Short mmCIF file of all heavy atoms in Angstrom, two decimals:
data_model
loop_
_atom_site.label_atom_id
_atom_site.label_comp_id
_atom_site.label_asym_id
_atom_site.label_seq_id
_atom_site.Cartn_x
_atom_site.Cartn_y
_atom_site.Cartn_z
N GLN A 9 107.15 101.43 124.58
CA GLN A 9 105.99 100.57 124.57
C GLN A 9 106.22 99.42 125.52
O GLN A 9 107.34 98.98 125.70
CB GLN A 9 105.77 99.99 123.18
CG GLN A 9 105.20 100.95 122.19
CD GLN A 9 105.02 100.24 120.88
OE1 GLN A 9 105.74 100.50 119.94
NE2 GLN A 9 104.09 99.34 120.80
N PRO A 10 105.16 98.90 126.09
CA PRO A 10 105.31 97.66 126.86
C PRO A 10 105.60 96.52 125.92
O PRO A 10 105.29 96.59 124.75
CB PRO A 10 103.92 97.49 127.51
CG PRO A 10 103.01 98.24 126.62
CD PRO A 10 103.82 99.37 126.02
N PRO A 11 106.22 95.48 126.43
CA PRO A 11 106.50 94.34 125.57
C PRO A 11 105.24 93.87 124.88
O PRO A 11 104.18 93.83 125.48
CB PRO A 11 107.03 93.28 126.54
CG PRO A 11 107.50 94.06 127.71
CD PRO A 11 106.64 95.29 127.79
N GLY A 12 105.36 93.54 123.61
CA GLY A 12 104.20 93.20 122.80
C GLY A 12 103.80 91.76 122.95
O GLY A 12 104.46 90.97 123.58
N PRO A 13 102.69 91.43 122.34
CA PRO A 13 102.16 90.07 122.37
C PRO A 13 102.95 89.13 121.51
O PRO A 13 103.88 89.53 120.83
CB PRO A 13 100.75 90.24 121.84
CG PRO A 13 100.74 91.56 121.18
CD PRO A 13 101.90 92.35 121.68
N PRO A 14 102.60 87.86 121.54
CA PRO A 14 103.39 86.84 120.85
C PRO A 14 103.58 87.16 119.38
O PRO A 14 102.69 87.66 118.74
CB PRO A 14 102.54 85.58 121.01
CG PRO A 14 101.57 85.87 122.08
CD PRO A 14 101.44 87.35 122.18
N ASN A 15 104.80 86.83 118.90
CA ASN A 15 105.03 87.06 117.47
C ASN A 15 104.58 85.85 116.70
O ASN A 15 105.36 85.14 116.10
CB ASN A 15 106.50 87.38 117.19
CG ASN A 15 107.41 86.33 117.72
OD1 ASN A 15 107.07 85.62 118.64
ND2 ASN A 15 108.60 86.21 117.16
N GLN A 16 103.29 85.63 116.71
CA GLN A 16 102.68 84.54 115.98
C GLN A 16 102.03 85.09 114.73
O GLN A 16 101.48 86.17 114.74
CB GLN A 16 101.59 83.89 116.83
CG GLN A 16 102.18 83.15 118.04
CD GLN A 16 102.56 81.75 117.69
OE1 GLN A 16 103.61 81.52 117.16
NE2 GLN A 16 101.70 80.81 117.96
N PRO A 17 102.05 84.35 113.64
CA PRO A 17 101.30 84.77 112.46
C PRO A 17 99.81 84.72 112.73
O PRO A 17 99.38 84.13 113.69
CB PRO A 17 101.69 83.76 111.40
CG PRO A 17 102.35 82.67 112.12
CD PRO A 17 102.73 83.13 113.47
N PRO A 18 99.01 85.35 111.87
CA PRO A 18 97.57 85.38 112.09
C PRO A 18 96.97 83.99 112.15
O PRO A 18 97.47 83.08 111.51
CB PRO A 18 97.04 86.17 110.91
CG PRO A 18 98.15 86.21 109.94
CD PRO A 18 99.42 85.98 110.68
N ASN A 19 95.90 83.86 112.89
CA ASN A 19 95.27 82.56 113.07
C ASN A 19 94.54 82.16 111.80
O ASN A 19 93.38 82.44 111.63
CB ASN A 19 94.30 82.64 114.23
CG ASN A 19 93.77 81.28 114.59
OD1 ASN A 19 94.34 80.28 114.19
ND2 ASN A 19 92.67 81.23 115.33
N GLN A 20 95.29 81.52 110.92
CA GLN A 20 94.74 81.19 109.61
C GLN A 20 95.06 79.75 109.27
O GLN A 20 96.06 79.20 109.68
CB GLN A 20 95.31 82.12 108.54
CG GLN A 20 94.95 83.56 108.79
CD GLN A 20 95.71 84.48 107.89
OE1 GLN A 20 96.80 84.12 107.45
NE2 GLN A 20 95.19 85.65 107.63
N PRO A 21 94.20 79.12 108.48
CA PRO A 21 94.39 77.71 108.12
C PRO A 21 95.55 77.48 107.18
O PRO A 21 96.06 78.41 106.58
CB PRO A 21 93.08 77.35 107.43
CG PRO A 21 92.21 78.52 107.52
CD PRO A 21 92.99 79.66 108.03
N PRO A 22 95.97 76.24 107.05
CA PRO A 22 97.15 75.92 106.25
C PRO A 22 96.85 75.84 104.77
O PRO A 22 95.71 75.84 104.35
CB PRO A 22 97.54 74.54 106.77
CG PRO A 22 96.23 73.95 107.20
CD PRO A 22 95.36 75.08 107.66
N GLN A 23 97.95 75.66 103.99
CA GLN A 23 97.81 75.48 102.54
C GLN A 23 97.13 74.15 102.26
O GLN A 23 97.46 73.13 102.86
CB GLN A 23 99.19 75.48 101.88
CG GLN A 23 99.91 76.79 102.00
CD GLN A 23 99.38 77.78 101.00
OE1 GLN A 23 98.57 77.43 100.18
NE2 GLN A 23 99.83 79.02 101.07
N GLY A 24 96.25 74.14 101.29
CA GLY A 24 95.57 72.91 100.92
C GLY A 24 96.46 72.02 100.07
O GLY A 24 97.41 72.48 99.47
N GLY A 25 96.13 70.75 100.00
CA GLY A 25 96.98 69.84 99.24
C GLY A 25 96.20 69.07 98.22
O GLY A 25 95.13 69.43 97.82
N PHE A 26 96.74 67.93 97.78
CA PHE A 26 96.07 67.13 96.78
C PHE A 26 96.55 65.71 96.92
O PHE A 26 97.51 65.45 97.63
CB PHE A 26 96.38 67.66 95.38
CG PHE A 26 97.79 67.42 94.97
CD1 PHE A 26 98.11 66.45 94.03
CD2 PHE A 26 98.79 68.17 95.52
CE1 PHE A 26 99.41 66.25 93.66
CE2 PHE A 26 100.11 67.96 95.14
CZ PHE A 26 100.42 67.00 94.21
N GLY A 27 95.88 64.81 96.23
CA GLY A 27 96.36 63.45 96.21
C GLY A 27 97.72 63.42 95.55
O GLY A 27 97.88 63.87 94.44
N ALA A 28 98.72 62.88 96.24
CA ALA A 28 100.10 63.09 95.82
C ALA A 28 100.39 62.58 94.44
O ALA A 28 100.17 61.43 94.13
CB ALA A 28 101.03 62.39 96.79
N PRO A 29 100.94 63.44 93.53
CA PRO A 29 101.37 62.95 92.23
C PRO A 29 102.60 62.07 92.33
O PRO A 29 102.91 61.33 91.43
CB PRO A 29 101.67 64.22 91.45
CG PRO A 29 101.68 65.33 92.41
CD PRO A 29 101.03 64.85 93.66
N GLN A 30 103.31 62.18 93.42
CA GLN A 30 104.48 61.34 93.63
C GLN A 30 104.71 61.25 95.11
O GLN A 30 104.18 62.03 95.89
CB GLN A 30 105.72 61.92 92.94
CG GLN A 30 106.18 63.23 93.57
CD GLN A 30 107.38 63.79 92.86
OE1 GLN A 30 107.33 63.98 91.66
NE2 GLN A 30 108.43 64.04 93.56
N ASP A 31 105.51 60.27 95.54
CA ASP A 31 105.78 60.14 96.97
C ASP A 31 106.61 61.32 97.43
O ASP A 31 107.63 61.66 96.84
CB ASP A 31 106.56 58.84 97.25
CG ASP A 31 105.67 57.64 96.98
OD1 ASP A 31 104.43 57.80 97.09
OD2 ASP A 31 106.19 56.56 96.68
N PRO A 32 106.21 61.94 98.54
CA PRO A 32 106.99 63.07 99.03
C PRO A 32 108.35 62.63 99.52
O PRO A 32 108.48 61.57 100.13
CB PRO A 32 106.14 63.61 100.18
CG PRO A 32 105.22 62.51 100.55
CD PRO A 32 105.03 61.67 99.34
N PRO A 33 109.41 63.40 99.25
CA PRO A 33 110.75 63.04 99.66
C PRO A 33 110.93 63.25 101.14
O PRO A 33 110.27 64.08 101.75
CB PRO A 33 111.63 64.01 98.86
CG PRO A 33 110.74 65.17 98.62
CD PRO A 33 109.36 64.64 98.53
N PRO A 34 111.85 62.52 101.76
CA PRO A 34 112.14 62.74 103.18
C PRO A 34 112.94 64.01 103.38
O PRO A 34 113.47 64.58 102.46
CB PRO A 34 112.96 61.50 103.55
CG PRO A 34 113.63 61.13 102.27
CD PRO A 34 112.67 61.49 101.17
N GLY A 35 113.07 64.38 104.64
CA GLY A 35 113.97 65.50 104.93
C GLY A 35 113.29 66.60 105.66
O GLY A 35 112.12 66.57 105.96
N GLY A 36 114.06 67.65 105.99
CA GLY A 36 113.56 68.79 106.74
C GLY A 36 112.75 69.70 105.86
O GLY A 36 112.77 69.60 104.67
N PHE A 37 112.09 70.59 106.52
CA PHE A 37 111.21 71.49 105.80
C PHE A 37 111.46 72.90 106.25
O PHE A 37 111.91 73.15 107.33
CB PHE A 37 109.76 71.11 106.03
CG PHE A 37 109.52 69.67 105.78
CD1 PHE A 37 109.47 68.78 106.82
CD2 PHE A 37 109.43 69.19 104.49
CE1 PHE A 37 109.28 67.44 106.58
CE2 PHE A 37 109.24 67.86 104.25
CZ PHE A 37 109.17 66.98 105.30
N GLY A 38 111.07 73.86 105.46
CA GLY A 38 111.27 75.24 105.81
C GLY A 38 110.02 76.02 105.58
O GLY A 38 109.10 75.57 104.99
N ALA A 39 109.99 77.29 106.00
CA ALA A 39 108.80 78.06 105.78
C ALA A 39 108.97 79.53 105.98
O ALA A 39 109.64 79.96 106.85
CB ALA A 39 107.76 77.57 106.73
N PRO A 40 108.29 80.32 105.13
CA PRO A 40 108.30 81.77 105.23
C PRO A 40 107.32 82.32 106.23
O PRO A 40 106.37 81.67 106.60
CB PRO A 40 107.96 82.24 103.84
CG PRO A 40 107.49 81.06 103.12
CD PRO A 40 107.72 79.86 103.94
N THR A 41 107.53 83.55 106.65
CA THR A 41 106.69 84.19 107.64
C THR A 41 105.38 84.65 107.07
O THR A 41 105.37 85.34 106.10
CB THR A 41 107.41 85.41 108.22
OG1 THR A 41 108.75 85.08 108.37
CG2 THR A 41 106.80 85.86 109.52
N PRO A 42 104.24 84.26 107.66
CA PRO A 42 102.96 84.70 107.14
C PRO A 42 102.72 86.13 107.47
O PRO A 42 102.99 86.57 108.56
CB PRO A 42 101.98 83.83 107.89
CG PRO A 42 102.70 83.43 109.11
CD PRO A 42 104.15 83.53 108.86
N PRO A 43 102.14 86.85 106.57
CA PRO A 43 101.84 88.24 106.86
C PRO A 43 100.63 88.37 107.75
O PRO A 43 99.58 87.88 107.43
CB PRO A 43 101.57 88.85 105.50
CG PRO A 43 101.62 87.74 104.52
CD PRO A 43 101.88 86.47 105.24
N PRO A 44 100.75 89.05 108.91
CA PRO A 44 99.59 89.20 109.77
C PRO A 44 98.65 90.26 109.27
O PRO A 44 99.05 91.17 108.59
CB PRO A 44 100.22 89.61 111.09
CG PRO A 44 101.52 90.18 110.75
CD PRO A 44 101.94 89.60 109.45
N ASP A 45 97.38 90.16 109.71
CA ASP A 45 96.42 91.21 109.40
C ASP A 45 96.82 92.47 110.15
O ASP A 45 97.13 92.42 111.32
CB ASP A 45 95.02 90.80 109.86
CG ASP A 45 94.49 89.71 108.95
OD1 ASP A 45 94.98 89.59 107.82
OD2 ASP A 45 93.59 89.01 109.39
N GLN A 46 96.80 93.59 109.50
CA GLN A 46 97.15 94.84 110.15
C GLN A 46 95.97 95.78 110.11
O GLN A 46 95.29 95.89 109.12
CB GLN A 46 98.33 95.48 109.42
CG GLN A 46 99.55 94.59 109.36
CD GLN A 46 100.14 94.34 110.72
OE1 GLN A 46 99.77 95.01 111.67
NE2 GLN A 46 101.03 93.38 110.85
N PRO A 47 95.76 96.49 111.21
CA PRO A 47 94.66 97.45 111.20
C PRO A 47 94.98 98.70 110.43
O PRO A 47 96.14 99.05 110.29
CB PRO A 47 94.50 97.77 112.68
CG PRO A 47 95.82 97.49 113.27
CD PRO A 47 96.46 96.42 112.44
N ALA A 48 93.97 99.34 109.91
CA ALA A 48 94.17 100.62 109.25
C ALA A 48 94.18 101.70 110.32
O ALA A 48 93.57 101.57 111.36
CB ALA A 48 93.05 100.87 108.25
N TYR A 49 94.88 102.79 110.06
CA TYR A 49 95.03 103.82 111.06
C TYR A 49 94.62 105.17 110.54
O TYR A 49 94.74 105.47 109.37
CB TYR A 49 96.51 103.90 111.50
CG TYR A 49 97.01 102.64 112.10
CD1 TYR A 49 97.63 101.69 111.30
CD2 TYR A 49 96.82 102.36 113.43
CE1 TYR A 49 98.08 100.52 111.83
CE2 TYR A 49 97.27 101.17 113.97
CZ TYR A 49 97.90 100.27 113.18
OH TYR A 49 98.34 99.09 113.71
N GLY A 50 94.22 106.04 111.48
CA GLY A 50 94.09 107.45 111.18
C GLY A 50 92.90 107.79 110.31
O GLY A 50 92.18 106.96 109.83
N TYR A 51 92.72 109.07 110.13
CA TYR A 51 91.70 109.60 109.24
C TYR A 51 92.36 110.39 108.14
O TYR A 51 93.44 110.92 108.31
CB TYR A 51 90.75 110.52 110.03
CG TYR A 51 89.95 109.76 111.03
CD1 TYR A 51 90.40 109.60 112.34
CD2 TYR A 51 88.74 109.16 110.68
CE1 TYR A 51 89.67 108.89 113.26
CE2 TYR A 51 88.01 108.45 111.61
CZ TYR A 51 88.47 108.32 112.90
OH TYR A 51 87.76 107.62 113.80
N PRO A 52 91.71 110.51 107.00
CA PRO A 52 92.31 111.30 105.93
C PRO A 52 92.56 112.71 106.40
O PRO A 52 91.76 113.32 107.07
CB PRO A 52 91.24 111.28 104.83
CG PRO A 52 90.38 110.10 105.16
CD PRO A 52 90.45 109.94 106.65
N GLN A 53 93.75 113.25 106.05
CA GLN A 53 94.11 114.60 106.41
C GLN A 53 94.59 115.33 105.18
O GLN A 53 95.06 114.72 104.24
CB GLN A 53 95.24 114.60 107.47
CG GLN A 53 94.80 113.90 108.75
CD GLN A 53 95.88 114.00 109.81
OE1 GLN A 53 96.67 114.93 109.78
NE2 GLN A 53 95.90 113.06 110.73
N PRO A 54 94.51 116.65 105.19
CA PRO A 54 94.96 117.39 104.01
C PRO A 54 96.43 117.22 103.80
O PRO A 54 97.20 117.21 104.75
CB PRO A 54 94.61 118.85 104.36
CG PRO A 54 94.48 118.87 105.84
CD PRO A 54 94.01 117.51 106.25
N GLU A 55 96.84 117.06 102.54
CA GLU A 55 98.24 116.88 102.22
C GLU A 55 98.95 118.23 102.23
O GLU A 55 98.39 119.25 101.87
CB GLU A 55 98.35 116.26 100.83
CG GLU A 55 99.70 115.70 100.55
CD GLU A 55 99.63 114.79 99.34
OE1 GLU A 55 98.64 114.06 99.21
OE2 GLU A 55 100.55 114.84 98.55
N GLN A 56 100.19 118.27 102.69
CA GLN A 56 100.93 119.50 102.82
C GLN A 56 102.16 119.45 101.94
O GLN A 56 102.66 118.40 101.62
CB GLN A 56 101.36 119.71 104.28
CG GLN A 56 100.15 119.84 105.21
CD GLN A 56 100.58 120.01 106.65
OE1 GLN A 56 101.76 119.87 106.96
NE2 GLN A 56 99.65 120.31 107.52
N PRO A 57 102.67 120.61 101.56
CA PRO A 57 103.87 120.62 100.73
C PRO A 57 105.05 120.06 101.48
O PRO A 57 105.05 120.03 102.69
CB PRO A 57 104.07 122.13 100.41
CG PRO A 57 103.27 122.85 101.43
CD PRO A 57 102.18 121.95 101.87
N PRO A 58 106.07 119.58 100.75
CA PRO A 58 107.20 118.95 101.39
C PRO A 58 107.90 119.89 102.34
O PRO A 58 108.04 121.06 102.09
CB PRO A 58 108.12 118.57 100.22
CG PRO A 58 107.57 119.24 99.04
CD PRO A 58 106.21 119.72 99.34
N ALA A 59 108.35 119.34 103.44
CA ALA A 59 109.09 120.13 104.42
C ALA A 59 110.06 119.22 105.13
O ALA A 59 109.88 118.03 105.19
CB ALA A 59 108.14 120.76 105.43
N GLN A 60 111.10 119.77 105.67
CA GLN A 60 112.03 118.97 106.43
C GLN A 60 111.40 118.64 107.77
O GLN A 60 110.68 119.44 108.35
CB GLN A 60 113.34 119.75 106.67
CG GLN A 60 114.11 119.99 105.39
CD GLN A 60 114.46 118.68 104.71
OE1 GLN A 60 114.84 117.74 105.36
NE2 GLN A 60 114.32 118.62 103.40
N PRO A 61 111.63 117.41 108.29
CA PRO A 61 111.00 117.03 109.54
C PRO A 61 111.43 117.93 110.67
O PRO A 61 112.59 118.27 110.78
CB PRO A 61 111.48 115.60 109.74
CG PRO A 61 112.69 115.48 108.92
CD PRO A 61 112.53 116.41 107.79
N GLN A 62 110.50 118.32 111.52
CA GLN A 62 110.81 119.12 112.69
C GLN A 62 110.83 118.18 113.88
O GLN A 62 109.82 117.64 114.28
CB GLN A 62 109.73 120.20 112.88
CG GLN A 62 109.64 121.14 111.69
CD GLN A 62 110.93 121.91 111.49
OE1 GLN A 62 111.50 122.40 112.46
NE2 GLN A 62 111.39 122.01 110.28
N TYR A 63 111.98 117.98 114.41
CA TYR A 63 112.12 117.05 115.53
C TYR A 63 111.89 117.76 116.86
O TYR A 63 111.88 118.98 116.94
CB TYR A 63 113.51 116.42 115.53
CG TYR A 63 113.81 115.71 114.28
CD1 TYR A 63 114.82 116.14 113.41
CD2 TYR A 63 113.06 114.59 113.92
CE1 TYR A 63 115.07 115.47 112.24
CE2 TYR A 63 113.32 113.93 112.75
CZ TYR A 63 114.31 114.37 111.92
OH TYR A 63 114.58 113.70 110.76
N GLY A 64 111.81 117.01 117.90
CA GLY A 64 111.80 117.58 119.21
C GLY A 64 110.53 117.38 119.98
O GLY A 64 110.37 117.94 121.05
N TYR A 65 109.60 116.64 119.43
CA TYR A 65 108.37 116.40 120.19
C TYR A 65 108.55 115.13 121.01
O TYR A 65 108.65 114.07 120.47
CB TYR A 65 107.19 116.21 119.24
CG TYR A 65 106.83 117.44 118.49
CD1 TYR A 65 107.28 117.61 117.18
CD2 TYR A 65 106.04 118.42 119.05
CE1 TYR A 65 106.95 118.74 116.47
CE2 TYR A 65 105.70 119.54 118.34
CZ TYR A 65 106.16 119.69 117.05
OH TYR A 65 105.81 120.80 116.34
N PRO A 66 108.52 115.26 122.33
CA PRO A 66 108.54 114.03 123.12
C PRO A 66 107.26 113.26 122.82
O PRO A 66 106.22 113.87 122.65
CB PRO A 66 108.58 114.52 124.56
CG PRO A 66 108.27 115.95 124.53
CD PRO A 66 108.44 116.44 123.13
#
Side-chain angles (χ1 to χ4, degrees):
Q9 285 180 251
N15 54 336
Q16 292 273 83
N19 188 17
Q20 298 169 334
Q23 295 282 354
F26 70 106
Q30 67 181 54
D31 292 334
F37 310 99
T41 321
D45 288 339
Q46 302 294 348
Y49 299 92
Y51 293 91
Q53 299 184 26
E55 196 165 321
Q56 298 179 352
Q60 293 301 319
Q62 300 298 316
Y63 302 115
Y65 293 98

